[in-house]
Amino acid sequence: MPSQSNVIEDKDIDARWVKKRGERFYGYKDNVEICNKTKLIRNYTVCAASRHDAKETEHVLTEPSKEAHGEPAWLDAGYAGIEDVVRAKHMTPIICEKGRRGHPLTEEQKERNRQKSKVRSQVEHVFGFMGQTMGGLIFRGVGMMRAKANIALTNLVYNMCRLVQIKKYQPNLIAIQ
């Protein structure tokens, strides 16, 4: 029988449970800022799975260069109410609208959300590539420090794979020396 100290050492006290679309997940979350043009990860944060994405917005958004002030930040409906945080980073928030109980979205709002989602969904392609091609969405370690290291390496390898794709299929997209 393992001693009490080994049980405590093996328990992940940083990870948390979250329920998403009726399914339960345990662990950590990779919050990313993606370049809309290249699909490269520009910045990221790691937190417990239960932490709301909107609480990480201030940490994950990078300040755009002076030439890019006012750059759009495409966000899903979960980010409603944080427009001031996005504007403080000198970006323009473009957030999908969400309905409330007794107040469903109008057809015009649904159409605007469809237009916004065409751009915003680019982020989902990044996670799809990580999960399907890289097998990088599963982490079997204990502790926030290990999770941060694992996610950092996963994001780095994704960017390297993406750069290879850009160089091969869209060489004029960015200048690679």
Side-chain angles (χ1 to χ4, degrees):
M1 184 168 152
S3 69
Q4 183 65 19
S5 63
N6 286 347
V7 173
I8 291 171
E9 288 172 8
D10 292 342
K11 185 174 180 181
D12 195 344
I13 59 172
D14 298 322
R16 296 287 181 267
W17 284 99
V18 67
K19 193 172 187 179
K20 187 174 182 180
R21 288 186 217 93
E23 193 174 346
R24 295 178 58 92
F25 297 93
Y26 182 74
Y28 301 94
K29 189 185 315 185
D30 183 10
N31 300 289
V32 296
E33 177 187 16
I34 305 286
C35 175
N36 189 36
K37 183 173 89 171
T38 62
K39 288 190 192 177
L40 290 169
I41 297 173
R42 295 199 296 201
N43 195 18
Y44 72 96
T45 61
V46 179
C47 63
S50 63
R51 186 165 168 88
H52 196 279
D53 293 340
K55 292 183 179 177
E56 290 294 312
T57 304
E58 185 174 358
H59 307 295
V60 77
L61 290 180
T62 56
E63 297 244 359
S65 63
K66 291 192 192 262
E67 308 86 52
H69 269 231
E71 179 179 292
W74 301 85
L75 305 164
D76 67 22
Y79 292 89
I82 61 150
E83 291 86 354
D84 293 339
V85 173
V86 176
R87 285 190 191 97
K89 294 287 187 173
H90 307 291
M91 300 176 95
T92 303
I94 300 174
I95 301 174
C96 289
E97 301 171 63
K98 63 180 174 180
R100 296 182 311 278
R101 189 178 307 160
H103 300 281
L105 293 175
T106 65
E107 288 304 315
E108 294 82 27
Q109 288 173 312
K110 288 179 184 178
E111 181 55 35
R112 284 195 302 264
N113 278 355
R114 274 191 284 279
Q115 296 304 316
K116 293 173 187 175
S117 292
K118 287 179 183 177
V119 176
R120 194 198 60 74
S121 67
Q122 298 297 311
V123 173
E124 303 307 324
H125 295 176
V126 172
F127 289 115
F129 182 86
M130 284 180 181
Q132 293 178 355
T133 306
M134 296 172 53
L137 297 180
I138 303 292
F139 167 65
R140 299 200 194 292
V142 175
M144 180 64 85
M145 189 179 342
R146 287 186 178 127
K148 284 182 177 182
N150 181 278
I151 288 173
L153 289 173
T154 301
N155 290 343
L156 176 65
V157 170
Y158 165 78
N159 273 353
M160 290 167 47
C161 291
R162 182 66 186 136
L163 278 171
V164 169
Q165 289 175 339
I166 291 170
K167 183 133 174 93
K168 186 174 182 178
Y169 300 111
Q170 301 169 310
N172 59 346
L173 191 58
I174 60 174
I176 301 175
Q177 304 273 330

